[in-house]
Amino acid sequence: MNLNEIIKAARGEKPADLLVTNARIINVFTGEIVTGSLAVSEGYFIGFGDYTATKTIDAGNRFVAPGFIDPHVHIESSMACPTEFARAILVNGTTCIAADPHEIANVMGIEGINYMLKSAEHQPMNFYFTLSSCVPATDMETSGAVITARDLRSFIGNEKIVALAEMMNYPGVINGDPDVLAKIQAAKHHNKPVDGHAPGLRGRELNAYLSAGVGSDHECTTVSEAREKLEAGMRIMIRQGTGARNLEALLPIINAKTARRLMWCTDDRHPHDLLDEGHIDVIIRDAIGAGLDPVTAIQMATINPADYFRLDHLGAIAPGRQADFVIISDLSSLTVEQVYCRGINVAVNGEMQPDIEKPKPIPSRSSMNLNPAEVDFSIPVEGRRLRVMDIVPDQLITRHSVDDISPADGLAVSDPSRDLLKIAVVERHQGSGNIGKAFVRGLRLKKGAIASSVAHDSHNIVVVGTSDDDMKAAVKTVVDMEGGLAAIVDDKPVATLPLPIAGLMSLEPLEKIRNRMDQLIEVSRDLGSSLKDPYMTLSFLALPVIPELKITDKGLIDVNQFKVVPLFIDA
Amino acid sequence: MNLNEIIKAARGEKPADLLVTNARIINVFTGEIVTGSLAVSEGYFIGFGDYTATKTIDAGNRFVAPGFIDPHVHIESSMACPTEFARAILVNGTTCIAADPHEIANVMGIEGINYMLKSAEHQPMNFYFTLSSCVPATDMETSGAVITARDLRSFIGNEKIVALAEMMNYPGVINGDPDVLAKIQAAKHHNKPVDGHAPGLRGRELNAYLSAGVGSDHECTTVSEAREKLEAGMRIMIRQGTGARNLEALLPIINAKTARRLMWCTDDRHPHDLLDEGHIDVIIRDAIGAGLDPVTAIQMATINPADYFRLDHLGAIAPGRQADFVIISDLSSLTVEQVYCRGINVAVNGEMQPDIEKPKPIPSRSSMNLNPAEVDFSIPVEGRRLRVMDIVPDQLITRHSVDDISPADGLAVSDPSRDLLKIAVVERHQGSGNIGKAFVRGLRLKKGAIASSVAHDSHNIVVVGTSDDDMKAAVKTVVDMEGGLAAIVDDKPVATLPLPIAGLMSLEPLEKIRNRMDQLIEVSRDLGSSLKDPYMTLSFLALPVIPELKITDKGLIDVNQFKVVPLFIDA
């Protein structure tokens, strides 16, 4: 930023770099739409009015809004690396994100956070991060790292870190866990906000959580919950992700008085939704479609998150702010025709401009610390019946049921005829040899096996199969790829998605990731599964914070009891 | 702050310290008024609802609002020290200020800022400071100190410093002065806002000023100016001080869309106004009286400045925020009945509670570096006519006129018969022996002399008199008091106000300051002056940034030419 040159241009003593004329400018400060011109110099807005400029573009009476900001997103959910994620969302008008690198932090700890910070450099958009607060998420699983308050203190002052990331450990806060409170206080000490994550938390427990200094929440699902949190001082991020979609339910909380405390966020969006629907733009579009004032909807995506994160140089069209803006054909369809970031035209009609440099994605070290040949999937029979995880289609919960075993040579084996399939979570971080083994119903594979190194929250390798050999081949395929998704038939991979960055992210563009996902899902259909996305289902079977029965590398977890339980009963 | 105890109380596991029942609570987040109870523990709000508490007070259906915040105020204008200033404004419901120690900084530099920071400790309210950006204000006068960007860098990270103070040197910004820009960048580096001060700045010059990163303005006097600044991204502080009163003119800019970017401030309030009218409370009251929505008016005094300065623990009634609140009988008269700060009842019905500890005002070192005996007030005649400063009653400007001299023994002397009085500015900081001498019309003293060490912005000693002997006695009296205001008749002081802190502030309560001011003004009436406050007039005759003719220790200043001009013409 050459401030002297900017000031000169603002005074009109030298031509601006860019003048956008005939623009209907969304002014997020006054809430009004003002027709006029705006000038840009050195990547910053310098003012409204008729400046001379080396380049002029005619907005043709289209709308010009600030670039959109996503205040809470996990890049890893797209399976794209930061370089490719940036390109996928920039075309939709998102010019800034505050990403929580929670997934890679669970795999690689501080090294993972550093990887994301490094990968965010030289991108054609603004990357900020929130500092993952809950690594590991629980002690019911083996993660790749533990991040303590002491670790966070060395990062929280970083200018690219805008907040402490979602404090999911609300029981820890409410119970005054010293390390948890120390993390919050580290953020407060640097005058940075603390993002919350408190689904359903109400009343005195909410008060206790907020007393510790939590500033936002993105987990509201009802008007009543959102109103209570808003009144108690939380800024509410209305989330519209791939799984959780809260826009429709929460629209009634938005009005002229509350809007300043509200934002949109995506949290988690998978490749299909990013490519087919969009990013923050689709939330604004849907909100306007549902009757919300367009300027309010845009404020919630621009000045509100900028204010929340104290990013005074972003979120508005005004002198002194970075020239991040979108040109929109009309406000009801909210078609983002052009995207500018730092004064540069980065995308037109949904395509990146060919001259925009694409920073080379950074490879990561291997995050696979296991020898697939040594993994033993056999389950000796130790009782007459066993616990089974029953998948509930389209939901993250499972039902805890009990069924007879299918024995063979003294071992409990997969029995596709009863849709009783063996599932295992193989620890991949510490070389511990840990493996959790159990049975799941609802995947309906008739043959082969599928495996994934995306398995919330610790991202060990989760594998389901009709035979131990196929399961072994699936794990070997994942390990050989340095992480990823694999479908196996007759010991051979038939579809794969390599995710060599921490076993979570690809180096390929989002379109390629989607195509490979399509193949993987198509194969899963051939193998017999009717689930919409069995890999997503698989990844949440390993998450021990959502009821009822889950599996980690430590074994079967009864989530209601929050403890490891034996596979067999009636021993 | 004992966070563990607060969290316990919020959960209801121990009694709260205080419960306020039957309160109509102003919720600044939702803009609504909610009837209910609120609980406090360890000085912080812990939540709404029916907590058990060791002490309960019944608000009797009165309104409870967050304590008021003044985002731009010069304590020195009250002539009270921080201890007494706190007591004077707390009773009006102001529980937080962001004070710009501009005046003491001009006298004592960094030492003066440190003095204010030190004096703010252990006060029963929240003192924050903005870091004086323009010391000295000009090079047309000798100040007590120079504060460079390097000096500011060592302070800006201080947690009590919330912003860079009003950047009055807008020509410096617009012209890219490196030291001025370095000051702004120091604040930006610490992610702290930069207060502006740009009366009448518009168009491209405003754009240039804002391109440097200025975030607020408190100098708007018209709707058109305020609208332009608001649209360009400035937060607008609507000022209602002793001199400048912009409330009525700016009321039309306040609406549901703009209010979030607006605040109230006092800037400068003299003892009479503070005692007779009030502080932020009177601005809110007058705004409501003029038809503004009461909750909006209160938001402008609470959450808006808290958001601007990133004081996330202030400005609202909500768990996690400091329990600073006022109990108001009704919203139209806005009578502040009770004031709480950090959960403690500090004032009732305009009186401080007797048990509130009063931190002992801190004496300052002498700021008087001159020997009055050596000051020579004589003006040898060097021409036929001379320039005269013509006072314009109730305004800060003067007119530049030319008149004949009144000679006596080869000297130009005061001539009360023509209301032509000698004025001098005696340098008091550096021991330079500098003295500016000239003549002024409009004070109408018939005998004696008056002097003051409050003389904007460098606060040298300004003195006007009917004879050199009286002027000498006046300066001697000021120096003997270590600063202050004095009225002299026949070489003897007849009324004084000692201001031993930097020659600017008293150690006495505001009431005593007012009484002494009353005496001083009464004496000035006896001496012949009909000005409302000749000392205030005097203090601005030394300010060389307001047209047309002013006087500093360097001589007569033609402000339109911005240079020293000779007293005599037609030599």
Side-chain angles (χ1 to χ4, degrees):
Chain A
M1 176 182 187
N2 187 334
L3 192 49
N4 278 297
E5 295 303 308
I6 290 172
I7 289 173
K8 260 190 214 164
R11 291 185 70 178
E13 286 176 5
K14 57 174 276 189
D17 296 335
L18 174 69
L19 185 72
V20 183
T21 60
N22 296 312
R24 286 196 273 179
I25 303 166
I26 311 286
N27 190 305
V28 294
F29 305 118
T30 61
E32 291 177 353
I33 299 173
V34 184
T35 298
S37 303
L38 59 92
V40 173
S41 180
E42 305 268 335
Y44 284 78
F45 295 116
I46 55 169
F48 311 114
D50 289 323
Y51 281 85
T52 56
T54 50
K55 186 180 175 186
T56 298
I57 61 168
D58 185 341
N61 215 28
R62 289 179 183 77
F63 295 89
V64 177
F68 307 139
I69 301 173
D70 187 345
H72 180 66
V73 54
H74 303 288
I75 294 172
E76 300 96 316
S77 297
S78 73
M79 294 185 283
C81 63
T83 285
E84 296 297 344
F85 186 74
R87 302 175 78 82
I89 63 172
L90 259 179
V91 297
N92 297 311
T94 304
T95 53
C96 178
I97 60 172
D100 173 10
H102 176 73
E103 314 304 343
I104 195 170
N106 265 282
V107 174
M108 297 170 69
I110 291 296
E111 185 188 352
I113 297 174
N114 271 323
Y115 174 88
M116 296 301 269
L117 284 166
K118 188 79 189 162
S119 296
E121 292 174 7
H122 312 300
Q123 298 290 352
M125 60 167 285
N126 309 287
F127 274 88
Y128 289 93
F129 293 92
T130 59
L131 202 47
S132 308
S133 63
C134 302
V135 177
T138 71
D139 59 3
M140 308 297 283
E141 56 194 317
T142 304
S143 65
V146 174
I147 299 184
T148 64
R150 175 189 290 256
D151 295 327
L152 293 188
R153 269 195 287 270
S154 67
F155 267 94
I156 193 76
N158 186 305
E159 63 172 6
K160 294 292 179 189
I161 304 283
V162 289
L164 187 67
E166 51 178 337
M167 178 45 79
M168 294 182 286
N169 187 2
Y170 52 86
V173 176
I174 293 171
N175 291 310
D177 180 310
D179 194 64
V180 171
L181 296 187
K183 288 174 179 176
I184 291 175
Q185 283 166 328
K188 295 275 153 198
H189 181 70
H190 284 265
N191 208 14
K192 298 195 176 179
V194 175
D195 280 345
H197 164 115
L201 202 68
R202 310 286 292 266
R204 292 182 179 189
E205 293 205 321
L206 177 64
N207 289 346
Y209 186 60
L210 298 186
S211 288
V214 176
S216 72
D217 188 73
H218 57 264
E219 292 287 339
C220 295
T221 54
T222 67
V223 164
S224 148
E225 178 184 0
R227 289 275 331 168
E228 180 176 348
K229 287 177 171 173
L230 198 54
E231 282 174 13
M234 298 186 102
R235 293 177 197 250
I236 304 298
M237 299 175 183
I238 297 177
R239 173 178 53 186
Q240 191 80 334
T242 286
R245 293 181 173 253
N246 310 123
L247 171 63
E248 193 183 339
L250 298 184
L251 269 173
I253 67 166
I254 311 172
N255 61 50
K257 291 177 175 176
T258 59
R260 64 189 275 189
R261 309 285 297 177
L262 305 175
M263 297 170 256
W264 312 112
C265 78
T266 60
D267 202 352
D268 301 285
R269 282 209 154 212
H270 292 190
H272 290 79
D273 289 335
L274 286 169
L275 290 170
D276 299 343
E277 293 190 351
H279 193 239
I280 294 291
D281 59 323
V282 67
I283 314 182
I284 300 173
R285 188 182 308 129
D286 288 351
I288 294 170
L292 187 64
D293 166 57
V295 176
T296 301
I298 289 169
Q299 285 173 316
M300 288 171 60
T302 55
I303 189 67
N304 293 9
D307 276 356
Y308 173 55
F309 289 129
R310 290 121 199 218
L311 297 170
D312 285 349
H313 66 301
L314 300 180
I317 295 171
R321 305 238 176 191
Q322 205 174 282
D324 301 346
F325 61 98
V326 294
I327 301 181
I328 299 169
S329 53
D330 80 289
L331 285 183
S332 55
S333 72
L334 204 93
T335 307
V336 176
E337 293 190 356
Q338 300 207 35
V339 183
Y340 282 76
C341 192
R342 302 184 195 113
I344 294 166
N345 182 208
V346 292
V348 176
N349 294 328
E351 299 286 338
M352 286 296 287
Q353 290 285 64
D355 58 334
I356 300 303
E357 207 188 330
K358 180 172 172 176
K360 209 171 159 56
I362 304 173
S364 86
R365 64 143 167 98
S366 168
S367 63
M368 295 292 149
N369 186 6
L370 78 165
N371 181 349
E374 291 172 1
V375 179
D376 176 9
F377 290 97
S378 67
I379 303 179
V381 173
E382 289 174 6
R384 286 175 36 229
R385 299 199 300 163
L386 39 68
R387 299 172 203 269
V388 176
M389 290 186 278
D390 277 346
I391 290 167
V392 182
D394 299 328
Q395 292 202 39
L396 304 185
I397 58 164
T398 62
R399 298 292 173 206
H400 179 166
S401 71
V402 172
D403 209 335
D404 295 331
I405 61 169
S406 288
D409 300 329
L411 301 174
V413 296
S414 287
D415 185 349
S417 71
R418 294 164 57 207
D419 187 26
L420 195 70
L421 298 181
K422 193 182 283 182
I423 181 169
V425 172
V426 184
E427 197 276 314
R428 71 172 172 101
H429 306 297
Q430 315 281 2
S432 66
N434 278 2
I435 178 167
K437 293 179 270 196
F439 288 88
V440 63
R441 173 172 284 132
L443 270 164
R444 298 184 193 279
L445 300 185
K446 298 301 175 197
K447 58 179 179 173
I450 62 174
S452 172
S453 59
V454 177
H456 297 286
D457 268 346
S458 287
H459 303 295
N460 288 303
I461 298 172
V462 60
V463 55
V464 172
T466 55
S467 76
D468 288 7
D469 284 349
D470 282 336
M471 290 172 77
K472 194 157 205 158
V475 171
K476 182 174 186 308
T477 304
V478 168
V479 173
D480 287 349
M481 297 188 295
E482 302 285 0
L485 277 48
I488 300 294
V489 177
D490 298 334
D491 304 358
K492 298 280 178 303
V494 290
T496 58
L497 169 56
L499 300 173
I501 304 170
L504 299 171
M505 288 174 280
S506 165
L507 294 159
E508 301 285 346
L510 202 64
E511 291 80 0
K512 287 205 178 172
I513 297 171
R514 174 175 62 176
N515 292 344
R516 279 181 173 269
M517 275 302 308
D518 285 344
Q519 287 169 27
L520 281 160
I521 290 169
E522 201 179 303
V523 166
S524 74
R525 300 257 183 289
D526 295 343
L527 299 183
S529 180
S530 57
L531 291 178
K532 192 177 161 199
D533 179 353
Y535 294 89
M536 185 177 158
T537 302
L538 215 57
S539 75
F540 284 105
L541 290 177
L543 181 64
V545 295
I546 297 180
E548 292 177 352
L549 192 64
K550 294 294 174 83
I551 182 169
T552 76
D553 67 301
K554 295 188 177 180
L556 264 182
I557 310 291
D558 181 324
V559 179
N560 294 331
Q561 295 186 61
F562 215 59
K563 69 172 191 182
V564 177
V565 289
L567 172 60
F568 291 96
I569 53 178
D570 307 331
Chain B
M1 175 183 187
N2 187 333
L3 191 49
N4 278 296
E5 295 303 307
I6 289 172
I7 289 174
K8 261 190 213 164
R11 292 185 69 178
E13 286 176 4
K14 56 174 280 190
D17 296 336
L18 176 68
L19 185 72
V20 183
T21 60
N22 295 313
R24 286 197 274 179
I25 303 166
I26 312 286
N27 190 305
V28 294
F29 304 118
T30 61
E32 291 177 354
I33 300 174
V34 184
T35 298
S37 303
L38 59 92
V40 172
S41 180
E42 306 266 337
Y44 284 78
F45 295 116
I46 54 169
F48 310 114
D50 290 322
Y51 281 85
T52 57
T54 50
K55 187 180 175 187
T56 298
I57 61 168
D58 186 341
N61 215 28
R62 287 177 183 80
F63 296 89
V64 177
F68 307 139
I69 301 173
D70 188 344
H72 181 67
V73 54
H74 304 287
I75 295 171
E76 301 95 318
S77 296
S78 72
M79 294 185 283
C81 63
T83 285
E84 296 297 345
F85 186 74
R87 304 175 76 82
I89 62 172
L90 259 179
V91 299
N92 297 312
T94 304
T95 53
C96 178
I97 60 171
D100 174 9
H102 176 74
E103 315 304 344
I104 195 171
N106 264 284
V107 174
M108 297 170 69
I110 291 295
E111 185 188 353
I113 297 174
N114 271 322
Y115 174 88
M116 296 301 269
L117 284 166
K118 187 81 189 159
S119 295
E121 292 174 6
H122 312 300
Q123 297 290 353
M125 60 168 285
N126 309 287
F127 273 89
Y128 289 92
F129 293 92
T130 58
L131 203 48
S132 308
S133 63
C134 302
V135 178
T138 72
D139 60 2
M140 307 298 284
E141 57 195 316
T142 303
S143 65
V146 174
I147 298 185
T148 64
R150 176 189 289 256
D151 295 327
L152 293 187
R153 269 195 288 271
S154 66
F155 267 93
I156 192 78
N158 186 305
E159 62 172 9
K160 294 292 179 191
I161 305 283
V162 289
L164 187 67
E166 51 178 337
M167 178 45 77
M168 294 181 286
N169 187 3
Y170 52 86
V173 176
I174 292 171
N175 290 311
D177 180 310
D179 194 64
V180 171
L181 296 187
K183 288 174 179 176
I184 291 175
Q185 282 166 329
K188 294 276 154 198
H189 182 71
H190 285 264
N191 208 14
K192 297 193 176 179
V194 175
D195 279 346
H197 164 114
L201 202 67
R202 308 288 291 265
R204 292 183 179 188
E205 294 205 320
L206 177 63
N207 289 347
Y209 186 59
L210 298 187
S211 289
V214 177
S216 71
D217 188 73
H218 56 264
E219 293 285 340
C220 295
T221 53
T222 66
V223 164
S224 146
E225 179 184 0
R227 290 276 327 171
E228 180 177 349
K229 287 178 171 173
L230 197 55
E231 282 173 12
M234 298 188 101
R235 293 176 197 251
I236 304 299
M237 299 175 183
I238 297 177
R239 174 178 53 185
Q240 190 80 333
T242 285
R245 292 180 173 251
N246 310 123
L247 171 64
E248 193 182 339
L250 298 184
L251 269 173
I253 67 164
I254 311 173
N255 60 50
K257 290 177 175 175
T258 59
R260 65 187 277 187
R261 308 286 298 177
L262 305 175
M263 299 170 254
W264 313 113
C265 78
T266 61
D267 203 350
D268 301 285
R269 282 208 155 215
H270 291 188
H272 291 80
D273 290 335
L274 285 170
L275 291 169
D276 299 342
E277 294 189 352
H279 194 239
I280 294 291
D281 59 324
V282 68
I283 312 181
I284 301 173
R285 187 182 309 128
D286 289 350
I288 295 171
L292 186 64
D293 165 58
V295 176
T296 301
I298 289 169
Q299 285 173 315
M300 287 171 59
T302 55
I303 189 69
N304 292 9
D307 275 356
Y308 174 55
F309 289 129
R310 289 125 199 215
L311 297 170
D312 286 349
H313 66 301
L314 300 179
I317 296 172
R321 304 240 176 189
Q322 205 174 282
D324 302 345
F325 61 98
V326 294
I327 300 181
I328 299 168
S329 53
D330 80 287
L331 285 184
S332 55
S333 73
L334 204 94
T335 308
V336 175
E337 292 190 357
Q338 300 207 34
V339 183
Y340 283 75
C341 191
R342 302 185 194 112
I344 294 166
N345 183 208
V346 292
V348 175
N349 294 328
E351 298 286 338
M352 286 296 287
Q353 290 284 65
D355 58 334
I356 299 302
E357 205 187 330
K358 180 172 171 175
K360 210 171 158 57
I362 304 172
S364 87
R365 66 146 167 96
S366 167
S367 63
M368 295 291 150
N369 185 8
L370 78 164
N371 183 349
E374 291 173 1
V375 179
D376 175 10
F377 291 96
S378 67
I379 302 178
V381 173
E382 290 173 5
R384 288 176 33 229
R385 300 199 299 165
L386 38 69
R387 300 173 201 271
V388 177
M389 290 185 277
D390 276 348
I391 291 169
V392 182
D394 300 327
Q395 293 202 41
L396 305 185
I397 59 164
T398 63
R399 298 290 173 208
H400 180 165
S401 71
V402 172
D403 209 335
D404 295 329
I405 62 170
S406 289
D409 300 329
L411 301 173
V413 297
S414 288
D415 185 349
S417 71
R418 294 164 56 208
D419 187 25
L420 195 68
L421 298 180
K422 193 182 283 182
I423 181 169
V425 172
V426 185
E427 198 274 316
R428 71 172 170 101
H429 306 296
Q430 316 280 2
S432 65
N434 279 3
I435 178 168
K437 294 179 267 197
F439 289 87
V440 64
R441 174 171 285 132
L443 270 164
R444 297 182 195 281
L445 300 184
K446 299 298 175 202
K447 58 179 178 173
I450 63 174
S452 172
S453 59
V454 177
H456 298 286
D457 271 344
S458 288
H459 304 295
N460 289 303
I461 299 172
V462 60
V463 57
V464 172
T466 54
S467 76
D468 289 5
D469 285 349
D470 283 336
M471 290 172 76
K472 195 158 204 157
V475 170
K476 183 175 186 307
T477 304
V478 168
V479 173
D480 288 349
M481 296 188 294
E482 303 284 0
L485 278 47
I488 301 294
V489 177
D490 298 335
D491 302 0
K492 298 280 178 302
V494 289
T496 59
L497 168 58
L499 301 173
I501 305 170
L504 299 171
M505 288 174 281
S506 165
L507 293 158
E508 301 284 346
L510 201 64
E511 292 80 1
K512 288 204 179 170
I513 297 171
R514 175 176 58 178
N515 292 344
R516 278 182 174 269
M517 274 304 306
D518 285 343
Q519 289 168 27
L520 282 160
I521 290 170
E522 202 178 302
V523 166
S524 74
R525 300 255 182 289
D526 295 344
L527 299 182
S529 180
S530 58
L531 292 178
K532 193 177 160 200
D533 178 353
Y535 294 90
M536 183 176 158
T537 302
L538 215 56
S539 75
F540 284 105
L541 290 177
L543 181 64
V545 295
I546 296 180
E548 293 177 353
L549 193 63
K550 294 294 174 82
I551 182 170
T552 75
D553 66 301
K554 296 189 176 178
L556 263 182
I557 311 291
D558 182 324
V559 180
N560 294 332
Q561 294 187 64
F562 214 58
K563 69 171 192 183
V564 177
V565 290
L567 173 60
F568 291 97
I569 54 179
D570 306 331

